[in-house]
Amino acid sequence: MGWSRQYSPGPVHLIRLRTGDDLLEAITRYAKEHHINAATLEYLGAVRRAAVRYYDQDAKAYRDFTIDEHLEVLAGVGNVSLLDGEPFVHTHMALGDSEGRAYGGHVNVGTEVWAIEVRMQELVGDEPPVREFDDCTGLTLWGGTLDGEA
Ligand code: ZN
């Protein structure tokens, strides 16, 4: 068994980002300004360029790449939890090009918004999820290294 904790649904925030916003920074800024430490989120729309990452599980390192064209955001998903005491947004998105081909990855700073609509669902509970380093994956994950791993 991994890590788990129970939450109740809180307020839902509908957020329209501005053209030219950095996708990851804008969502992170919203969470910080509204003191949201626990949430799930989804979004759709379009970007003018995408900066995404792929995590190489063998090397335990991210490989960054950019797709420098106008793309549909077919689906964006993510969550908000605490990292080093601050709201931290973790999000992945699937992108479609003019031919309908799909790309995607872990969203990095550098993704430029054309038009994005976000639905952020706050989660209410005793303590927000906290990200800590996990030896097994090399990532910062909820609950950090679990007993019996690494
Ligand atoms: Zn990720």
Side-chain angles (χ1 to χ4, degrees), residues 12-130:
V12 172
H13 301 245
L14 295 182
I15 308 151
R16 182 188 151 197
L17 303 184
R18 291 178 182 278
T19 302
D21 272 350
D22 183 281
L23 176 61
L24 183 59
E25 288 180 348
I27 296 173
T28 301
R29 188 169 57 244
Y30 187 91
K32 286 182 177 177
E33 285 176 359
H34 292 80
H35 309 288
I36 297 170
N37 297 328
T40 57
L41 58 99
E42 58 192 54
Y43 54 90
L44 77 171
V47 296
R48 294 202 284 215
R49 69 192 293 266
V52 290
R53 321 184 87 182
Y54 168 85
Y55 192 69
D56 184 325
Q57 297 175 18
D58 294 322
K60 292 187 180 178
Y62 279 107
R63 284 196 236 142
D64 297 350
F65 57 101
T66 59
I67 306 166
D68 214 352
E69 59 184 292
H70 297 171
L71 298 156
E72 296 284 329
V73 176
L74 309 177
V77 296
N79 56 56
V80 180
S81 53
L82 287 180
L83 178 66
D84 298 328
E86 295 276 318
F88 176 84
V89 174
H90 180 204
T91 174
H92 291 192
M93 64 181 171
L95 300 155
D97 72 7
S98 61
E99 306 279 314
R101 288 176 297 229
Y103 306 92
H106 173 115
V107 178
N108 203 358
V109 171
T111 298
E112 188 179 337
V113 169
W114 172 248
I116 293 283
E117 297 169 342
V118 182
R119 178 190 186 278
M120 186 181 291
Q121 168 78 64
E122 268 190 72
L123 301 172
V124 178
D126 291 338
E127 293 174 55
V130 175

